[in-house]
Amino acid sequence: GARFVHMVYCFARYVMTEDMKKLSVDTGIPFAEAVMRRPEDMYIAKARHRVAYNKLLQILQREDFVIQEYKKKAQ
């Protein structure tokens, strides 16, 4: 349900953040400053967040549908 999707989204965000930390080593850009920096336009930032969240939700729903169809055909 919605709680599971939210948990997967948070996990994916965590993994991406950890990956960014590893990639930012020795680049001269402090990771904490880059992540904690607030965007200039919060409306655009929130809109991007909604788009990304909805896209993840669509992908998970499509994947669930395909799995259900495979289960029906396997019976």
Side-chain angles (χ1 to χ4, degrees), residues 55-70:
K55 188 68 174 173
L56 176 64
L57 181 62
Q58 288 174 354
I59 290 168
L60 292 174
Q61 288 174 336
R62 191 176 319 132
E63 183 179 342
D64 183 56
F65 176 76
V66 169
I67 290 170
Q68 296 299 324
E69 289 296 314
Y70 278 132

Side-chain angles (χ1 to χ4, degrees), residues 1-59:
R3 293 170 92 188
F4 177 74
V5 170
H6 182 70
M7 183 190 73
V8 170
Y9 174 77
C10 289
F11 178 70
R13 185 175 175 188
Y14 170 78
V15 170
M16 183 186 68
T17 304
E18 291 299 314
D19 190 46
M20 286 173 58
K21 282 182 187 179
K22 290 177 187 175
L23 293 175
S24 68
V25 172
D26 297 329
T27 60
I29 302 171
F31 178 77
E33 288 180 17
V35 171
M36 296 305 170
R37 187 176 298 163
R38 296 194 55 88
E40 294 175 11
D41 189 355
M42 284 302 293
Y43 177 77
I44 292 176
K46 287 180 181 180
R48 287 180 179 158
H49 175 266
R50 282 192 307 271
V51 168
Y53 186 82
N54 288 336
K55 188 68 174 173
L56 176 64
L57 181 62
Q58 288 174 354
I59 290 168

